[in-house]
Amino acid sequence: MSVSVRTLEAASEPAWDRFVTAMPAGTFFHLAAWAKVIEAAFGHETHYSFTERDGAITGVLPLARVKSLLFGDTLISSPFCVYGGPLTVDAESQAALIAHAERLLARSPSSALEFRYRDGGEPAPPGWTDRPDLYVTFRKPIEADHDRNMKAIPRKQRAMVRKAIQNGLTSIANQDVGTLHRIYAESVRNLGTPVFSRHYFRILMDTFADAADIVTVLDQQTPIATVMNFYFRDEVLPYYGGGSAAARSRAGNDFLYWETMRRAADRGCRLFDFGRSKIGTGSFAFKHNWGFDPAPLNYRFRLKPGHAMPDHNPLNPKYRTFIAAWKRLPLPLANLLGPSIVRGIG
């Protein structure tokens, strides 16, 4: 039987998530709940669709339209996520979902369609363009044994973790969105990046519940570094994190990711996903220093005639002045303005 394309509804969400979890290439960002998160946190229109054959799901496509006066209008799979794209069991389902997305693009005012594949996959179909040279991801197995995980960290980075331990740093794990947002907001402001709203972080914690937590590093009783983590199958994904100025001198950021790794191992996780970084950035160097090898991310675009590939990353020279000015904003003003800007980046 041929596949049919259907729109995701509440009744289909459990089957969608079972499919994603069973697929080796499935990711946390393919889960159905992201549609509600994107709608509730940002007000963006979502187009979550799946293919079905003889009553069984054969593919899923999480897709949303991100529209902004500053950054244009793009259909993305998946916005605010590092991985996405169609996830299918066969070529027919893949072709059906791609064709469905292309029809949505043709009917939409959007200028481009973007798939955020974690792996390169098959060669790009006609009319599509790959951009594999911007982002990488860092993923590495971990073990149940903390000593073995510690010894797997390269010597210089391991020394930083041990320095943090000698400094008497401790950690807690909870769902304290307030502390996370306060530290994260200052951290990204200092990088010249607009911050997400606290409301978005609250939605993430409420939506994913036991599949998410927040690990915070304490110096005495003072929080100095914190990260929101996602859990999927046997993987941990530290996702939104930052550290205060004090964290740098106390090795708080180093301790933060060690504690996340340690706690995740105790939880049964056997793969540490350090997430996406731009090539040539400090984040790239930090993750590489942990002994993680970068793997290229393949982001694929379908453009309407006359339109250029979206390029909203901070390394784009046209954002240099904006970034420099943002770093100088008072934190309360940056926190007020940031959410309305970042919602359009995706």
Side-chain angles (χ1 to χ4, degrees):
M1 296 179 62
S2 297
V3 298
S4 57
V5 178
R6 295 181 53 190
T7 299
L8 177 64
E9 298 176 345
S12 303
E13 289 176 2
W16 173 298
D17 285 347
R18 286 194 297 271
F19 176 84
V20 169
T21 303
M23 292 289 289
T27 74
F28 182 80
F29 305 106
H30 283 95
L31 295 174
W34 279 98
K36 294 177 181 177
V37 169
I38 291 167
E39 291 169 358
F42 305 107
H44 293 316
E45 180 183 7
T46 60
H47 301 275
Y48 275 51
S49 304
F50 62 93
T51 48
E52 188 178 63
R53 182 188 293 114
D54 197 22
I57 292 179
T58 60
V60 300
L61 175 62
L63 190 67
R65 181 187 176 195
V66 177
K67 179 183 177 183
S68 165
L69 290 175
L70 288 175
F71 302 106
D73 189 336
T74 308
L75 289 165
I76 304 175
S77 176
S78 298
F80 310 101
C81 300
V82 296
Y83 311 137
L87 177 69
T88 62
V89 298
D90 54 39
E92 183 185 11
S93 302
Q94 178 91 352
L97 287 174
I98 291 175
H100 175 70
E102 290 176 333
R103 288 192 296 271
L104 286 174
L105 177 64
R107 297 196 303 263
S108 168
S110 299
S111 62
L113 178 61
E114 177 183 354
F115 289 163
R116 297 177 175 178
Y117 291 106
R118 189 176 70 196
D119 303 311
E122 298 297 321
W128 287 74
T129 303
D130 286 341
R131 186 173 184 185
D133 59 344
L134 180 60
Y135 294 110
V136 296
T137 190
F138 294 84
R139 290 162 55 83
K140 185 178 180 181
I142 60 175
E143 301 186 37
D145 188 296
H146 299 318
D147 288 338
R148 292 176 67 89
N149 288 330
M150 179 69 83
K151 291 175 182 177
I153 303 171
R155 180 177 56 83
K156 289 184 178 180
Q157 183 59 52
R158 187 167 66 244
M160 293 300 294
V161 176
R162 295 198 185 281
K163 175 184 175 182
I165 296 172
Q166 292 167 1
N167 285 337
L169 301 186
T170 58
S171 75
I172 55 175
N174 53 31
Q175 295 195 342
D176 184 358
V177 167
T179 297
L180 169 71
H181 190 268
R182 176 172 56 80
I183 296 177
Y184 177 80
E186 181 177 359
S187 180
V188 297
R189 190 279 311 269
N190 293 342
L191 294 172
T193 302
V195 69
F196 289 104
S197 69
R198 184 181 303 186
H199 177 60
Y200 171 50
F201 286 174
R202 183 74 268 162
I203 290 172
L204 287 171
M205 296 306 300
D206 289 345
T207 299
F208 293 111
D210 293 340
D213 69 9
I214 296 169
V215 172
T216 300
V217 172
L218 304 177
D219 189 359
Q220 303 299 325
Q221 296 301 312
T222 302
I224 61 171
T226 182
V227 64
M228 179 186 293
N229 307 295
F230 299 137
Y231 300 92
F232 177 71
R233 293 190 298 228
D234 64 346
E235 305 174 17
V236 58
L237 300 89
Y239 205 61
Y240 293 119
S244 66
R248 290 192 292 274
S249 62
R250 302 287 285 170
N253 294 316
D254 308 275
F255 189 65
L256 174 66
Y257 291 103
W258 165 250
E259 284 295 281
T260 296
M261 184 182 294
R262 183 184 65 80
R263 290 174 177 275
D266 287 344
R267 185 183 173 121
C269 293
R270 294 298 173 262
L271 192 143
F272 193 95
D273 187 328
F274 231 146
R276 182 181 81 177
S277 290
K278 300 175 187 70
I279 297 171
T281 63
S283 171
F284 177 101
F286 179 78
K287 295 171 184 179
H288 194 262
N289 288 344
W290 280 76
F292 287 61
D293 294 324
L297 289 175
N298 184 24
Y299 286 11
R300 184 168 290 174
F301 296 85
R302 172 78 164 178
L303 306 177
K304 280 186 175 176
H307 291 275
M309 188 181 298
D311 188 11
H312 306 322
N313 83 87
L315 299 181
N316 187 332
K318 75 178 185 178
Y319 296 127
R320 191 171 297 147
T321 301
F322 172 87
I323 291 171
W326 198 268
K327 291 179 180 180
R328 297 193 296 269
L329 284 182
L331 190 57
L333 182 58
N335 288 350
L336 177 66
L337 299 176
S340 62
I341 296 173
V342 77
R343 71 176 294 278
I345 297 176

